[in-house]
Amino acid sequence: MKISISLAAALACVAGIAAAEPVAPAEVQYDEYGAVAQSLTGVAGDPANGKVIMGTKSKGNCVSCHAAAGLAEFPFHGEVGPVLDGVGDRWNEAEMRGIVANAKMTYEGTIMPAFYKTEGYIRPGDAYTGKAPTEPLGPLLSAQDIEDVVAFLLTLKE
Amino acid sequence: MTKLNKSKALIAMGLAVSSFALASVAGAEGHGAAPLVINGDIEIVTNTAAPAHMENISTIQSGWEFRTPDTQDLQRDDFDNPGMLGVDDARETWATVEGSEGKSCASCHGEPETLAGVKAVYPKWNEDAGEVRTIEMQINACRTENMGAEAYGYSDGAMTDMSALISSVSRGLPVNVAIDGPAQATWEQGKELYYTRTGQLELSCANCHEDNYDNLIRADHLSQGQINGFPVYRLNNAKLNSVHDRFKGCVRDTRAETYKPGSPEFVALELYVASRGNGLSVEGPSVRN
């Protein structure tokens, strides 16, 4: 018990440092192909958490559009985007970060939502309530969520 | 209703052997299913050539084609179509005197069947009012101006039932809304809305219903988002749903601030979306999941 509490405290501490540092959505540097070289948090991504984010409806909900064998534990994969098997062979870390943070910088006009962006929307709402937001919008995923998802995607090799 | 379904199911079981071969050829959903004929009588066109004004789709398809055979079958007979209960309720309302003028709908229109053909051309420009009107707006105009009765809320149950009754007597007739003349500006506005990417997900109607129909989005099989089948009885919420309620749900799902049912924006969008179905049969009340 004691151990796990101090562990939690240590983790919270790391998270606290990370939270103070992340690159803000408007500050992210995309190169001309849409890649983002710099980590958004400086903290290595956790692929296990990235997988959960991709399969969870209230988080990335990536499976609503993408299928992947590695996400089989989450039922009902969509067909709107490409199958993600082998995606770790197709893109390097910087390119993957760019696609997840704002795929529109890689694929002009893509249907894929920008997950690390907070402005430039038409009639944005307060999540799925259909109402106008009462507070400034946050990005769809946090900086560390993006890093975790990128880490998981890089494991999807053929 | 349940009893009826049961005896129907037994009859269906008898037929199952012969239809099995057909079903396995047809595959899971859509195109292969037997064409939709309601009550063995009303033939419904569920796919046809797109109207000339459509730029990116060559064949238009009713949402019926994208549903499972079980859901499709609920529309083949009015006794199985739960949306017809709303139509029955509206038939009673139709003949009920309400308001200061001592009139019912029947006082002016006779039987509901006299309105056959009306739904097919709505939304429609109203010269006196100087606006494009949906069926719901027309129902309220009759209530307030001709009957001296109170307006219904735009998506009230009684309103959607009445709209279902008016649609039901036009079933089988081709949708044919006018998009030129005085309606053109409203139609253009609706088209603009159809292609505008809203909300934090930045999705337009076209992203889902033009670019991705026939694809799964999570567990949902995307249709072309046609409205020839409205009002729609949804098995998910077990009631008749108005066009504007459906629009509201789809816009909400883009993480956007929605427009209100009955708003000028949704009226314009309805005219535009209806025009994308010109040539399909009026099918409402239909059944969807």
Side-chain angles (χ1 to χ4, degrees):
Chain A
M1 203 51 191
K2 237 184 195 162
I3 294 174
S4 66
I5 285 173
S6 57
L7 201 92
L11 279 174
C13 190
V14 171
I17 291 165
E21 306 277 342
V23 181
E27 307 300 318
V28 180
Q29 298 293 320
Y30 295 86
D31 74 13
E32 59 176 310
Y33 304 105
V36 176
Q38 195 198 333
S39 163
L40 301 181
T41 60
V43 176
D46 167 7
N49 190 45
K51 182 180 189 177
V52 172
I53 290 168
M54 287 191 66
T56 306
K57 195 165 180 194
S58 57
K59 299 206 167 139
N61 198 20
C62 314
V63 292
S64 67
C65 291
H66 293 284
L71 292 165
E73 68 204 70
F74 304 102
F76 305 121
H77 295 179
E79 302 169 331
V80 171
V83 176
L84 295 179
D85 294 336
V87 81
D89 299 319
R90 294 199 279 280
W91 305 101
N92 65 34
E93 184 185 314
E95 292 162 341
M96 204 76 93
R97 185 179 290 116
I99 292 174
V100 181
N102 184 351
K104 287 155 173 82
M105 308 301 262
T106 302
Y107 305 96
E108 203 193 327
T110 185
I111 185 175
M112 179 162 153
F115 286 90
Y116 200 61
K117 180 176 129 162
T118 52
E119 48 203 12
Y121 302 118
I122 298 171
R123 291 181 76 84
D126 178 7
Y128 291 104
T129 62
K131 302 204 166 76
T134 49
E135 293 167 26
L137 293 172
L140 293 171
L141 292 177
S142 72
Q144 193 58 45
D145 288 345
I146 304 276
E147 294 301 323
D148 292 354
V149 166
V150 168
F152 174 70
L153 288 169
L154 290 170
T155 70
L156 297 181
K157 302 197 185 247
E158 304 272 31
Chain B
M1 195 69 193
T2 324
K3 247 188 201 156
L4 228 151
N5 276 337
K6 226 180 206 166
S7 59
K8 281 228 157 103
L10 287 175
I11 297 168
M13 268 168 66
L15 290 174
V17 179
S18 56
S19 49
F20 181 73
L22 244 179
S24 58
V25 173
E29 304 182 11
H31 317 274
L36 177 55
V37 180
I38 299 172
N39 303 331
D41 176 35
I42 309 170
E43 290 178 20
I44 302 290
V45 173
T46 56
N47 70 71
T48 189
H53 65 78
M54 292 263 283
E55 286 145 24
N56 309 313
I57 285 185
S58 54
T59 302
I60 50 174
Q61 293 173 264
S62 164
W64 182 84
E65 297 209 336
F66 298 86
R67 306 284 54 100
T68 61
D70 286 352
T71 306
Q72 289 181 332
D73 286 348
L74 292 174
Q75 260 182 261
R76 297 187 195 277
D77 190 313
D78 282 350
F79 281 109
D80 295 332
N81 181 340
M84 290 307 287
L85 296 173
V87 170
D88 291 344
D89 287 347
R91 273 188 192 273
E92 272 179 38
T93 312
W94 178 268
T96 306
V97 171
E98 274 181 82
S100 57
E101 305 304 303
K103 286 183 183 147
S104 68
C105 312
S107 315
C108 293
H109 296 288
E111 292 299 309
E113 281 68 19
T114 61
L115 296 189
V118 168
K119 182 61 201 289
V121 297
Y122 266 74
K124 184 183 165 195
W125 176 258
N126 182 299
E127 193 59 49
D128 294 341
E131 65 185 6
V132 169
R133 277 189 177 167
T134 62
I135 280 287
E136 284 86 350
M137 290 161 79
Q138 186 56 47
I139 291 169
N140 267 345
C142 279
R143 287 182 61 84
T144 56
E145 290 160 28
N146 300 330
M147 296 166 66
E150 274 193 24
Y152 288 137
Y154 197 86
S155 291
D156 279 359
M159 172 67 99
T160 307
D161 287 350
M162 187 57 73
S163 150
L165 170 61
I166 293 170
S167 175
S168 71
V169 299
S170 286
R171 287 182 298 175
L173 298 172
V175 175
N176 184 23
V177 299
I179 66 172
D180 52 3
Q184 190 177 342
T186 308
W187 182 83
E188 302 279 2
Q189 184 196 357
K191 181 176 181 184
E192 172 86 26
L193 288 163
Y194 190 86
Y195 287 100
T196 300
R197 301 182 64 160
T198 59
Q200 216 177 350
L201 299 183
E202 297 178 283
L203 296 173
S204 69
C205 313
N207 285 142
C208 287
H209 294 296
E210 185 168 281
D211 305 338
N212 280 292
Y213 70 88
D214 219 8
N215 281 332
L216 287 174
I217 187 160
R218 200 93 201 220
D220 288 317
H221 188 193
L222 282 167
S223 72
Q224 293 182 349
Q226 294 284 0
I227 56 174
N228 61 307
F230 276 76
V232 162
Y233 186 91
R234 291 190 65 191
L235 301 170
N236 279 347
N237 62 10
K239 68 179 182 92
L240 277 170
N241 295 262
S242 69
V243 170
H244 291 197
D245 268 355
R246 179 83 237 197
F247 287 175
K248 192 174 149 192
C250 281
V251 176
R252 180 200 59 213
D253 286 350
T254 70
R255 295 178 74 120
E257 180 188 356
T258 67
Y259 298 100
K260 288 194 175 54
S263 62
E265 289 86 1
F266 274 171
V267 172
L269 186 60
E270 180 173 345
L271 174 62
Y272 177 69
V273 177
S275 79
R276 293 173 66 93
N278 273 354
L280 295 173
S281 297
V282 174
E283 191 191 307
S286 66
V287 186
R288 306 284 189 255
N289 50 330

